[in-house]
Amino acid sequence: MRTALLTGFGPFPGAPVNPTGSVIEAVKAQPPEGWRIETLIFETTFASVPSDLDNAARTLSPDLVVLTGLAAEAQRIRLEVRARNAVLPGRPDAAGRCWTPGPIEPGGPEERRTRLDLDALAEAVKAAGADVEVSEDAGRYVCEFTYYLALGRFSAPAVFVHLPMTGTPGAALTAAEAADALRAVIAAAARFTR
């Protein structure tokens, strides 16, 4: 049996409710066949993410890492191709702290890219019934910060999945549809690693 680490985030300024935690817990409760799911909910802070990632990398040794974040304005799921070694300064995290101008990892590569074939994963998500797009912009906030660090800390393939808001009137997806889309990503990932 393979192990997938699924991560989500807590609330942050502008999003007092972040559905990623409940969505990944739903996937854990009903994982894709052949997979065991471990979950981790990050505080949406620049200070806490590095140690949480280090601890997960040290203790879990997953076969796949699927990080999720909320893109409240999005109308479809976004599969993120890359993470840049930069965060936009001036946007406070959940602790009210802003990123200091400069790279995430001084001396690190300008960007890190997933090893997964995101076009193939997008087809799997579409087959699960959700609208999806492949994106080159992970947002330059705590999501991009986390993705950049994860791509450098785990030997397993990793992907960041931005979910639209779920569970509210007019939402692009229900929480159940978002969970089905994540199950499709996990099930397809083993076949589409580059």
Side-chain angles (χ1 to χ4, degrees):
M1 184 164 295
R2 291 172 285 192
T3 300
L5 171 62
L6 267 68
T7 72
F9 286 97
F12 58 94
V17 176
N18 188 334
T20 58
S22 60
V23 170
I24 67 171
E25 291 300 330
V27 176
K28 182 177 184 175
Q30 293 182 306
E33 187 175 338
W35 287 90
R36 182 174 65 88
I37 306 296
E38 296 288 342
T39 57
L40 173 61
I41 308 294
F42 297 111
E43 285 184 55
T44 311
T45 66
F46 296 111
S48 64
V49 166
S51 61
D52 289 346
L53 277 173
D54 287 342
N55 185 51
R58 185 177 54 257
T59 62
L60 297 177
S61 299
D63 300 295
L64 174 67
V65 179
V66 179
L67 306 114
T68 69
L70 174 64
E73 76 291 346
Q75 293 301 306
R76 62 187 53 88
I77 290 171
R78 293 194 329 236
L79 303 176
E80 303 296 349
V81 171
R82 67 179 179 157
R84 294 164 288 194
N85 191 8
V87 172
L88 292 177
R91 186 168 175 203
D93 64 15
R97 294 187 178 94
C98 296
W99 182 254
T100 304
I104 295 167
E105 282 186 2
E110 186 175 312
E111 67 178 36
R112 291 180 173 141
R113 300 176 79 82
T114 184
R115 297 186 338 244
L116 294 164
D117 180 342
L118 296 191
D119 291 328
L121 293 186
E123 289 303 315
V125 170
K126 286 178 190 172
D131 285 337
V132 62
E133 66 183 339
V134 174
S135 167
E136 293 266 346
D137 184 0
R140 293 202 170 184
Y141 185 51
V142 180
C143 291
E144 186 138 19
F145 176 84
T146 304
Y147 194 22
Y148 185 86
L149 294 176
L151 287 168
R153 281 171 166 73
F154 290 96
S155 60
V159 63
F160 199 101
V161 180
H162 265 118
L163 300 174
M165 183 57 82
T166 64
T168 60
L173 287 177
T174 67
E177 290 167 334
D180 286 344
L182 290 179
R183 287 184 194 98
V185 166
I186 294 164
R191 297 188 318 247
F192 298 113
T193 302
R194 294 186 235 225

